[in-house]
Amino acid sequence: MSGQRHLSLMQARRVALAAQSLARGKPGKPVTQRALSRLHASLAQVQIDSINVVQRAHYLAYFARLGHYDTALLDRLVSSPRSTVTEYWGHEASYLCAELVPSLIPWQRRRWVDRSEHFTDSQHQLSDAILSYLTERPGVTAREISKALEVPATTDREHWGWNWNETKVITESLFAQGKILSLGRNQHFERRFALAEHVIGRPLEAEESETALRRLVTTSLQAQGLGTAHCVADYFRLPVHPVRQVLRGMVDDGSVVLGSVADIAEAVYLLPETRIPRKIDDQLRLLSPFDPMIINRRRLAKFFGFDYRVEIYVPQAQRQYGYYVFPILRGDRFIGRVDLKADRAAGCLRVQSYHPEGEDDGTHRSLLLDELNEMARWLSLDRVEHRL
């Protein structure tokens, strides 16, 4: 058992930001697909979201770290057979390191999606037909499969799963099992299904649950730098109790180090090779509501003193800050939040509201405007409209 490590709160923040590739400034050079793949390997997962009021969240996570890049590079990365990145259930639906999918299958919590044990004979027959169809025609959507196999749309408005028809029920079930995966999504944000062996180059078999959990715990700590048991579990939506048990065993065998952070009562965990950066770049960044750095709101409050709530589903009159609100990170502090909207018809990035926090050294607004202008250019918008 390794000795404990004691960190100040500032050191803990630097470790967390470095793990999330937020410690250094944006590279300032053309972004390649290899750079995207390398960044993704450090994050392990990036949550996918269809809301396009500014840009879809998975594109925004890479922009926050790399700056201006061609989103088509990411689309090709996740839609290429044998890619290192694919889609599966992580924290939510996410682009994940493909090697993690076998580990996630036994632990992903969306088992309500997999209804295969309750399938009727006709559903089993349709399942076989879908697998056969995908053998010859990888990269098609459930809607396209339905049309080809002449499966009717559902007329049951109370149907479980948002009125899915039989094809959608079965493809989502096969996806949850890892029998089929996704070759990216189309312009309507529909998964383009293919057999798992076509996507990752081999038939996919779920790992033994204990082995899988150790791998996911290790990956979670690599991606977050350090965290409480809840932090470690929540990154991949794992149940906390078995994660805590695994962490104890990994502390005992030396593969994880037990630590403490000033002003945080709970024990924290980190990997033995974890280094504490001496400094964090002072660059300002805008993190989308679903950025992997901020998806765990409890962690964000505990380690950074920043209370954040996604208000997308809050009635407009009850919103405190706005609809699509970006936390503003500068260096190792969250200095405010800004509600943005890409008004494509008007050709502008619109600042709906701006809420600074803490002391301003006189440069926050200037740096924020620089970042907003860079984002507008990336989104092919002509200008930023604001009242900063």
Side-chain angles (χ1 to χ4, degrees), residues 84-352:
T84 57
V85 183
T86 192
E87 180 184 343
Y88 193 64
W89 292 110
H91 188 84
E92 296 292 344
S94 302
Y95 288 151
L96 289 144
C97 293
E99 64 183 17
L100 292 178
V101 177
S103 304
L104 284 160
I105 288 173
W107 288 103
Q108 61 96 1
R109 286 181 160 184
R110 292 152 191 85
R111 301 198 181 279
W112 60 270
V113 176
D114 179 13
R115 294 298 180 98
S116 56
E117 63 181 279
H118 303 296
F119 278 0
T120 63
D121 289 343
S122 64
Q123 286 175 317
H124 281 296
Q125 291 170 6
L126 180 56
S127 179
D128 291 340
I130 289 170
L131 291 171
S132 178
Y133 186 81
L134 290 175
T135 300
E136 301 297 328
R137 299 170 183 83
V140 292
T141 67
R143 181 166 47 86
E144 291 167 329
I145 295 170
S146 286
K147 183 176 179 181
L149 300 182
E150 299 182 341
V151 180
T154 182
T155 58
D156 181 2
R157 306 315 298 174
E158 300 300 322
H159 192 280
W160 80 272
W162 305 288
N163 302 316
W164 291 349
N165 76 345
E166 291 289 75
T167 303
K168 182 66 171 174
V169 170
I170 291 168
T171 52
E172 291 299 324
S173 178
L174 292 170
F175 181 79
Q177 296 172 57
K179 291 183 179 180
I180 65 175
L181 293 175
S182 173
L183 283 172
R185 295 192 178 220
N186 66 10
Q187 67 271 28
H188 304 296
F189 209 61
E190 299 168 296
R191 289 192 184 106
R192 300 171 55 247
F193 291 110
L195 299 181
E197 51 261 45
H198 186 96
V199 177
I200 65 173
R202 66 185 188 281
L204 195 154
E205 295 184 5
E207 283 185 329
E208 185 272 326
S209 59
E210 183 73 13
T211 301
L213 194 57
R214 286 179 66 95
R215 180 193 293 268
L216 294 172
V217 164
T218 299
T219 304
S220 177
L221 283 171
Q222 288 170 338
Q224 296 185 90
L226 81 175
T228 66
H230 175 268
C231 297
V232 175
D234 190 67
Y235 201 68
F236 292 115
R237 292 281 203 219
L238 302 170
V240 175
H241 181 65
V243 164
R244 187 174 281 112
Q245 290 182 313
V246 164
L247 282 168
R248 289 169 183 159
M250 295 177 77
V251 168
D252 288 341
D253 66 27
S255 53
V256 166
V257 174
L258 183 64
S260 63
V261 174
D263 301 323
I264 294 179
E266 298 170 69
V268 300
Y269 301 88
L270 58 164
L271 298 175
E273 64 272 19
T274 300
R275 295 183 178 181
I276 302 171
R278 297 183 64 181
K279 64 178 182 178
I280 297 293
D281 188 273
D282 203 32
Q283 188 163 12
L284 184 145
R285 307 169 196 265
L286 300 174
L287 303 184
S288 85
F290 305 107
D291 191 280
M293 181 66 209
I294 63 171
I295 50 178
N296 186 334
R297 317 301 183 206
R298 188 192 305 182
R299 171 184 171 87
L300 192 62
K302 189 184 298 291
F303 286 90
F304 289 88
F306 189 74
D307 292 316
Y308 179 68
R309 178 187 182 194
V310 175
E311 297 183 277
I312 290 168
Y313 305 109
V314 176
Q316 183 173 358
Q318 298 174 26
R319 291 178 194 144
Q320 184 177 4
Y321 296 108
Y323 180 78
Y324 206 78
V325 177
F326 289 69
I328 305 168
L329 176 68
R330 183 181 178 191
D332 55 18
R333 294 185 298 131
F334 285 89
I335 61 168
R337 58 198 91 201
V338 60
D339 182 23
L340 300 178
K341 176 180 174 61
D343 188 339
R344 295 171 178 86
C348 71
L349 179 62
R350 203 178 300 281
V351 178
Q352 311 273 63

Side-chain angles (χ1 to χ4, degrees), residues 59-84:
Y59 296 123
L60 289 163
Y62 298 92
F63 173 78
R65 292 157 176 82
L66 297 174
H68 198 291
Y69 76 99
D70 183 357
T71 59
L73 293 174
L74 180 59
D75 294 338
R76 286 199 291 272
L77 179 63
V78 300
S79 62
S80 301
R82 295 176 172 82
S83 174
T84 57

